[in-house]
């Protein structure tokens, strides 16, 4: 027997039992009443038996008739109750069957929930109207917390069903990882990888060019791989970015070779540099430390070989070794898009040997190596540990610093990339849910405070206060809105390689003058300026900055037509200086006072003009000249008492427009309530607008 029917039967039997007990109690009462009647009738029978035979018979028949009626009523009631219960249970079962199931998942957006429920987005907003959710901040793509998803489903009278997406939290990790450490017996010597670091304009690029020219000799001495970075100049000493370079080397736990550049200059003082470095725990060999210091000139090429030999000697002491066997491991140094080759990376191989046809994974991109070339652009077939190599064959552009790992096949590479993208999306969802939860708590706290604030007030008082508050929060006027927009600088950054863009973004992270003008990064990327960049800049009223990239004539014409600025630079700090100037142009001008003349008050008196007495100061010009049309201020004991204009300037009885140094004059102000005192100073000045400069200092 199905369980719903058993439940119906049980409920029906309980109700019938109660009814039967009630009816039986009623029957017993009637029988007792009849028994009393029969005793009375027995006494009266001999008196009225002949006269009332029918009446007596009717009285005796009554209890039996009552029982029959009760049984019939009880039977009929049982039938009705059974039908009613069955009908109620059927309606419950049908309502259960008709409940719509809605498939939901963690991190669902408003739009996705509406689509799953087959409702419009407004229905979701209405359902959340009386909850703690901040409706104003909800957008179609806003992620909903699990609590609010359940609330909406419940209010709609629907049934909730979690989809398989919720179970993907326990999805198997498909990422690629490095191999365990190799057997020391398999390791072979490798070349050192040298990073040149230091302050801006200290000769890094020139030094690198000179080192490239001595590369053949250096390779014969033991081999050096060069890579761009930065360092010290003998005429400047230890600068801000020099200190940062030292800190980077310490954090990476790598040894330092000190190249003191620009030693060809007469004012160069290498010893001063070495002494300053002691404050940063960099002790040169001359002072009993272990840091080699080489005096060089990148301009003339002096001591370039000595620098190369010092680096190789240090590498030999470190006994650098690597495993040239097995799957490749490496690091992306640069990445860029080549018009003929597509996405290209410059990489350093750290383990294994890279060959054509190898399948690589880096970040969320993968490649089947189609072509490899060395630092001179020459095609190579193999790349060993410590070799810099250009790799062609990437499906997408990886980022500088991404770890390169070799995998066994293309399907495996896709699997790794899919897993990493999934992980990134999960992390993004967690962050979104965290923000939603924080917003929800803020809204709840605001709601609680509002209840405390308005809870004891009458509804009329509450409405009045809310109306006043709303009135104070009127939208910005057009003028204020324009001023606000003028204090925002949207920018688009394009660079030749990923590393250049990363460096620029790192500089942008130091921006700390948002109180003056907001710096808004709309878009960044690698490659030449495109039409899409121009369209974005037009939409956001922004400026495009390009580093070591080009903008075709067609693009420049399009930008000019749309009023978009394109600023191209080859030197990174020139680009930053240009950006500082652009930021400064967005700031309101500062007003500066320029003094024209100064006078001292020697006497005070008043003159009558009509019915008024006007105070007059008798002055002598001590410096410069007083010009009636300019602005004036009255100073007493170093404090400004008044600023304004003159209503009269006289020499004796003559009206004058200018009173020069040494002349006596009388003057009256446009403020009658001001009282002059002997010894006060009168200053004549004019206001000039001066272009403001941003307070942002990126450290160059």
């Amino acid at each position: 027997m199905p369980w719903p029917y058993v439940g119906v039967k049980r409920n029906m039997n309980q109700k019938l039992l109660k009814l039967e007990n009630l009816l039986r109690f009623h029957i017993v009462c009637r029988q007792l009443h009849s028994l009393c009647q029969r005793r009375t009738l027995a006494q009266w029978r001999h008196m009225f038996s002949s006269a009332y035979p029918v009446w007596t018979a009717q009285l005796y028949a009554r209890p039996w008739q009552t029982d029959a009626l009760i049984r019939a009523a009880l039977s009929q009631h049982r039938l009705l109750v059974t039908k009613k219960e069955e009908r109620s249970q059927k309606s419950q079962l049908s309502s259960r069957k008709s409940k719509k199931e809605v498939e939901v998942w963690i991190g669902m957006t408003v739009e996705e929930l509406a689509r799953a429920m087959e409702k419009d987005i407004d229905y979701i907003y209405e359902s959340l109207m009386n909850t703690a959710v901040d409706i104003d901040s909800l957008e179609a793509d806003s992620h909903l917390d699990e609590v609010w998803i359940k609330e909406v489903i419940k209010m709609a009278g629907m049934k909730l069903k979690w989809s398989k997406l919720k179970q993907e939290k326990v999805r198997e990790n498909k990422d690629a990882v490095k191999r365990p450490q190799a057997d020391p017996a398999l390791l072979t010597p490798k070349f050192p990888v040298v990073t040149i670091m230091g302050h801006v304009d200290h000769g890094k690029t020139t030094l690198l060019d000179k080192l490239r020219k001595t590369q053949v000799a250096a390779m014969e001495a033991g081999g050096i791989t060069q890579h761009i970075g930065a360092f010290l100049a003998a005429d400047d000493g230890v600068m801000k970015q020099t200190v940062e370079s030292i800190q980077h080397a310490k954090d990476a736990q790598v040894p330092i070779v000190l190249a003191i550049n620009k030693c060809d200059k007469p004012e160069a003082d290498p010893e001063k540099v070495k002494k300053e470095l002691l404050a940063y725990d960099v002790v040169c060999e001359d002072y009993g430390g272990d840091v080699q210091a080489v005096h060089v000139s990148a301009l003339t090429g002096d001591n370039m070989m000595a620098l190369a030999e010092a680096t190789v000697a240090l590498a030999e002491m470190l006994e650098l070794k690597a495993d040239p066997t097995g799957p490749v491991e490496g690091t992306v140094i640069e990445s860029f898009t080549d018009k003929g080759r597509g996405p290209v990376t410059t990489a350093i191989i750290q383990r294994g040997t890279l060959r054509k046809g190898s399948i690589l994974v880096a970040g969320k991109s993968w490649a089947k190596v189609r072509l490899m070339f060395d630092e001179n652009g020459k095609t190579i077939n193999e790349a060993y540990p410590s070799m810099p190599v250009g790799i062609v064959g990437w499906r997408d552009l990886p980022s500088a610093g991404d770890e390169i790992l070799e995998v066994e096949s293309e399907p495996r590479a896709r699997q790794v990339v899919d897993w990493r993208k999934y992980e990134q999306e999960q992390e993004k969802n967690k962050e979104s849910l965290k923000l939603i939860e924080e917003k929800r708590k803020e809204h709840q706290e605001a709601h609680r405070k509002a209840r405390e604030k308005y809870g004891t007030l009458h509804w009329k008082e509450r409405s009045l206060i809310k109306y006043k508050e709303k009135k104070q929060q009127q939208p910005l006027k057009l003028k204020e809105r324009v001023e606000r927009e003028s204090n925002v600088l949207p920018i688009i950054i394009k660079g030749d390689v990923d590393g250049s863009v990363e460096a620029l973004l790192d500089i942008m992270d130091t921006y700390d003058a948002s109180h003056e003008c907001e710096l808004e990064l709309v878009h960044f990327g690698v490659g030449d300026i495109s039409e899409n960049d121009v369209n974005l800049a037009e939409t956001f009223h922004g400026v495009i900055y390009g580093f070591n990239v080009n903008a075709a004539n067609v693009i420049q014409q399009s930008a000019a037509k749309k009023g978009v600025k394109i600023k191209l630079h080859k030197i990174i700090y020139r680009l930053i200086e240009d950006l500082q100037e652009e930021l400064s142009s967005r700031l309101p001008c500062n007003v500066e006072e320029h003094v024209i003349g100064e006078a001292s008050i020697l006497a005070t008196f008043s003159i009558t003009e009509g019915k008024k007495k006007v105070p007059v100061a008798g002055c002598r010009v001590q410096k410069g000249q007083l010009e009636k049309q300019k602005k004036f201020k009255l100073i007493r004991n170093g404090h400004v008492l008044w600023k304004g204009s003159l209503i009269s300037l006289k020499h004796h009885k003559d009206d004058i427009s200018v009173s020069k140094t040494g002349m006596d004059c009388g003057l009256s102000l446009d403020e009658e309530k001001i009282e002059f005192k002997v010894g006060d100073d009168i200053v004549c000045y004019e206001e000039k607008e001066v272009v403001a400069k941003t307070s942002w200092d990126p450290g160059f």
Side-chain angles (χ1 to χ4, degrees), residues 105-322:
W105 57 89
I106 293 290
M108 204 176 194
T109 65
V110 174
E111 187 177 16
E112 288 169 343
L113 181 57
R115 197 183 304 122
M117 293 175 67
E118 297 180 357
K119 303 281 187 182
D120 56 17
I121 291 177
D122 290 339
Y123 180 85
I124 308 298
Y125 291 148
E126 289 170 8
S127 301
L128 295 170
M129 192 72 73
N130 296 320
T131 65
V133 176
D134 185 3
I135 302 295
D136 295 334
S137 66
L138 272 186
E139 301 292 341
D141 59 350
S142 298
H143 293 278
L144 290 172
D145 197 358
E146 186 176 334
V147 177
W148 308 124
I149 294 173
K150 289 179 178 178
E151 184 69 22
V152 174
I153 300 291
K154 183 180 176 182
M155 290 179 70
M158 297 181 181
K159 189 177 178 182
L160 179 142
K161 178 186 176 184
W162 290 107
S163 76
K164 293 180 181 178
L165 287 173
K166 189 177 180 181
Q167 299 171 0
E168 285 185 353
K169 287 183 177 179
V170 294
R171 184 173 164 180
E172 186 183 353
N173 190 330
K174 298 292 184 181
D175 204 358
V177 293
K178 285 184 174 182
R179 291 179 285 154
Q181 291 292 330
D183 184 350
L186 299 175
L187 302 181
T188 59
K190 70 168 186 174
F191 297 152
V193 177
V194 181
T195 304
I196 302 174
M197 298 190 298
H199 198 76
V200 171
D201 203 28
H202 277 189
K204 301 178 299 295
T205 306
T206 310
L207 177 67
L208 192 59
D209 290 339
K210 291 294 182 181
L211 282 172
R212 284 194 177 114
K213 289 177 182 177
T214 60
Q215 185 177 14
V216 176
M219 291 294 286
E220 289 173 356
I224 295 179
T225 298
Q226 297 104 19
H227 175 56
I228 298 171
F231 61 105
L232 282 170
D235 58 338
D236 284 345
V238 179
M239 303 291 283
K240 181 179 178 181
Q241 288 178 320
T242 307
V243 177
E244 291 177 2
S245 301
I246 293 168
Q247 193 57 51
H248 283 314
K250 287 183 176 179
D251 291 343
Q253 297 181 345
V254 295
I256 297 172
V257 175
L258 182 62
I260 304 177
N261 193 27
K262 301 188 180 181
C263 286
D264 57 309
K265 288 189 173 184
E267 64 271 21
D269 189 358
E271 294 305 316
K272 174 191 171 187
V273 173
K274 293 176 186 177
K275 288 176 182 177
E276 288 179 355
L277 285 171
L278 293 172
Y280 304 99
D281 295 327
V282 177
V283 185
C284 299
E285 290 177 337
D286 297 352
Y287 292 90
D290 57 357
V291 176
Q292 297 181 77
V294 183
H295 302 179
V296 299
S297 171
L299 187 65
T300 63
D302 291 346
N303 272 350
M304 287 295 106
M305 182 58 73
L307 179 60
E309 288 172 351
T311 307
V312 172
L314 179 60
E316 288 175 351
M317 290 174 58
L318 294 172
E319 295 184 349
L320 301 173
K321 292 184 178 182

Side-chain angles (χ1 to χ4, degrees), residues 411-426:
R412 173 64 178 139
R414 292 191 190 95
Q415 189 180 51
V416 172
V417 170
D418 287 345
W419 167 259
R420 291 178 178 180
K421 288 178 179 177
Y422 164 78
E423 267 194 322
Q424 184 186 40
E425 189 162 346
Q426 290 296 306

Side-chain angles (χ1 to χ4, degrees), residues 12-74:
M12 184 188 72
N13 288 341
Q14 288 175 354
K15 291 182 179 180
L16 287 175
L17 184 61
K18 290 179 182 178
L19 181 63
E20 285 178 0
N21 290 337
L22 184 63
L23 291 173
R24 281 173 183 163
F25 177 73
H26 180 68
I27 290 168
V28 169
C29 293
R30 293 302 297 266
Q31 286 177 344
L32 288 172
H33 180 67
S34 298
L35 182 61
C36 293
Q37 280 187 329
R38 279 200 296 274
R39 287 180 179 175
T40 306
L41 287 172
Q43 295 173 0
W44 290 352
R45 186 178 299 167
H46 66 280
M47 296 169 57
F48 300 104
S49 58
S50 59
Y52 303 98
V54 178
W55 178 78
T56 305
Q58 286 175 349
L59 284 176
Y60 277 108
R62 211 163 168 184
W64 178 86
Q65 289 174 350
T66 302
D67 268 354
L69 287 170
I70 288 170
R71 287 192 201 98
L74 187 59

